[in-house]
Amino acid sequence: QQEIVRAALTEFSEHGFNAASLNRIIDAAGISKGSMYYYFDGKEDLYGHVVRVELGRLFEASGPFPVPSARDAASFWATLTEYSGRIMGALMASPALAALARGWLAASASPALQQVQREMESAVLPWFERVLTAGQRARAVRKDIPTSLAIAIVFGMGQAMDTWLLTQELDAKSLRKYGPI
């Protein structure tokens, strides 16, 4: 299975989801088609698995998601800015992962991959709730709107920022120029 995932990461990062070929992945992994379908139901299932595995590695390498403990807004945002900088640095250090992430945006039109996206969002939802609560305590986040609306706003902004960032070829100097948004 690890050989399939390695071959798939290369294929998806070089060709994107739509142009990727299962036959090239099978050849590169040195397996039979039957072996491929033993582990994965098809291209969407394989792609979703590769995205989960590789993003998991990215977050593991970047360290734990911090929940800011600051009591003031500036320190709260500084903690989140530092963590997002670590994530972006890890993406820049792995061109294959950055390409996979860029491809994720285009591929997420597929219903099967939308399900994977919802699962991934559900996995990070408790962290977002804790961060929003910490932000409210630090007076960095509004308290007068429902938490569910605040999370929807954060996810919407995050998606817009991801879309923009992943379509750019940014280096570390460029990222520092933009600073926190």
Side-chain angles (χ1 to χ4, degrees):
Q1 189 177 16
Q2 289 176 348
E3 287 301 316
I4 297 169
V5 171
R6 266 192 287 268
L9 174 59
T10 300
E11 179 70 14
F12 290 133
S13 65
E14 289 177 1
H15 300 283
F17 173 76
N18 293 324
S21 163
L22 277 181
N23 288 332
R24 285 192 300 253
I25 294 169
I26 290 166
D27 289 344
I31 60 168
S32 69
K33 215 172 238 193
S35 294
M36 170 68 131
Y37 287 104
Y38 175 78
Y39 292 108
F40 301 101
D41 292 335
K43 190 161 95 169
E44 280 117 352
D45 185 35
L46 175 58
Y47 191 77
H49 180 78
V50 169
V51 167
R52 279 188 214 98
V53 166
E54 293 303 318
L55 287 179
R57 286 183 185 153
L58 169 75
F59 293 131
E60 186 176 302
S62 300
F65 284 108
V67 174
S69 58
R71 294 290 177 192
D72 64 284
S75 298
F76 172 83
W77 291 116
T79 300
L80 294 180
T81 298
E82 188 274 329
Y83 184 71
S84 66
R86 282 191 279 153
I87 294 285
M88 291 307 297
L91 275 172
M92 288 188 309
S94 174
L97 181 55
L100 182 70
R102 277 191 294 277
W104 173 252
L105 295 172
S108 62
S110 159
L113 295 176
Q114 288 172 354
Q115 177 60 34
V116 172
Q117 191 173 25
R118 283 190 296 274
E119 290 169 10
M120 292 171 74
E121 286 174 358
S122 292
V124 298
L125 186 60
W127 177 80
F128 274 102
E129 290 169 339
R130 288 192 307 274
V131 168
L132 283 173
T133 300
Q136 289 169 335
R137 276 195 311 270
R139 295 193 169 124
V141 176
R142 292 173 55 167
K143 292 182 180 183
D144 62 336
I145 60 174
T147 301
S148 59
L149 175 58
I151 289 173
I153 291 168
V154 168
F155 277 22
M157 286 175 51
Q159 190 174 38
M161 290 167 52
D162 289 347
T163 300
W164 181 82
L165 281 171
L166 293 174
T167 60
Q168 307 299 306
E169 294 295 328
L170 299 176
D171 56 21
K173 183 179 176 184
S174 298
L175 286 176
R176 281 192 299 278
K177 177 178 87 173
Y178 293 114
I181 296 177

